[in-house]
Amino acid sequence: MSQFSQRVYSTLALVAALSMAAASQAQAQARAVPVSATASQPSAMPDHLISARVRDGVLTIDGMVAKVQLNYDIQNTGYMYFFVPGVGTAVVSMGPLADGVKVPDAFDGEKLAFTVDGHSVELSNEGSSLLEKRKGKADVYVRLDRSTVAISRYPRMGYGDTTTAPYVWPLSAAQPAGKDKVEYAVTPPPVPKSMLPQTASSGTPKQ
């Protein structure tokens, strides 16, 4: 066997040995990882569920209007979601939330307001309290999920029963019939003859 062939054979043998060692190490690590880290477990529902009635709601982020005319009927839901582009998804719960920060009096009558990662988020209702089964003020817990930072270029609002992505982003319902804006069709009066275009030869208005 030539010297070149011996070098090739030695290189191939070394690559094969390294591949087998890497595969064995990967299998050992997989056996060592607990099941909870490899598969997402169902989220435990909080003790206090959210029942909210949003009518002609306005979502603002850092004082700037992000969405308007939001209409949702949220019944006994575990969590609300607010996506902030470039930041992530704020998961809001009325019960203690893992890695969550307590925000006292976040629900206050017609609005829900909190701050996450230095950004203020506010959902305001029109004419009625957001919470259906609780009046006045209520605390919430907020956790920021940064893994969703790139899901969209636009803010979102949603709700559901999980604390991990993918989240549910229901579309806003149609505006209630009582809030429909009535538009009247009016036939304009005819244009006065003095305002009609003139012909160059006669100076009489075109009909």
Side-chain angles (χ1 to χ4, degrees):
M1 182 180 294
S2 65
Q3 185 177 2
F4 178 75
S5 299
Q6 290 179 352
R7 289 181 179 177
V8 172
Y9 177 78
S10 299
T11 301
L12 293 176
L14 179 60
V15 171
L18 291 174
S19 299
M20 293 179 62
S24 300
Q25 184 178 4
Q27 290 177 357
Q29 290 177 349
R31 288 192 295 269
V33 175
V35 176
S36 60
T38 57
S40 59
Q41 300 297 319
S43 304
M45 294 290 284
D47 295 334
H48 301 287
L49 300 180
I50 300 174
S51 291
R53 181 180 171 86
V54 182
R55 287 294 177 267
D56 202 14
V58 177
L59 175 64
T60 60
I61 298 176
D62 292 336
M64 295 182 291
V65 175
K67 283 187 173 295
V68 297
Q69 296 183 344
L70 296 174
N71 297 284
Y72 294 101
D73 287 309
I74 304 173
Q75 297 295 329
N76 297 323
T77 299
Y79 312 96
M80 295 176 68
Y81 313 124
F82 298 90
F83 172 70
V84 181
V87 177
T89 299
V91 181
V92 177
S93 170
M94 293 190 69
L97 189 61
D99 300 325
V101 177
K102 184 177 181 180
V103 182
D105 301 334
F107 275 108
D108 186 0
E110 299 179 1
K111 70 178 182 179
L112 165 65
F114 59 90
T115 299
V116 60
D117 195 34
H119 297 275
S120 62
V121 179
E122 180 177 308
L123 173 66
S124 61
N125 214 18
E126 181 178 311
S128 62
S129 175
L130 278 173
L131 293 179
E132 284 194 326
K133 298 181 180 180
R134 297 184 62 174
K135 303 299 181 182
K137 300 180 180 181
D139 303 339
V140 301
Y141 295 81
V142 181
R143 180 180 69 85
L144 177 61
D145 183 356
R146 299 181 185 275
S147 67
T148 61
V149 66
I151 62 173
S152 176
R153 295 183 298 170
Y154 306 100
R156 294 184 180 185
M157 174 188 166
Y159 56 91
D161 295 330
T162 179
T163 58
T164 56
Y167 300 105
V168 181
W169 308 102
L171 296 176
S172 173
Q175 194 175 28
K179 289 288 186 179
D180 288 345
K181 296 180 179 179
V182 179
E183 296 182 357
Y184 298 92
V186 178
T187 302
V191 178
K193 292 184 177 181
S194 59
M195 297 182 63
L196 293 174
Q198 306 291 322
T199 60
S201 57
S202 62
T204 59
K206 291 182 179 179
Q207 300 296 328

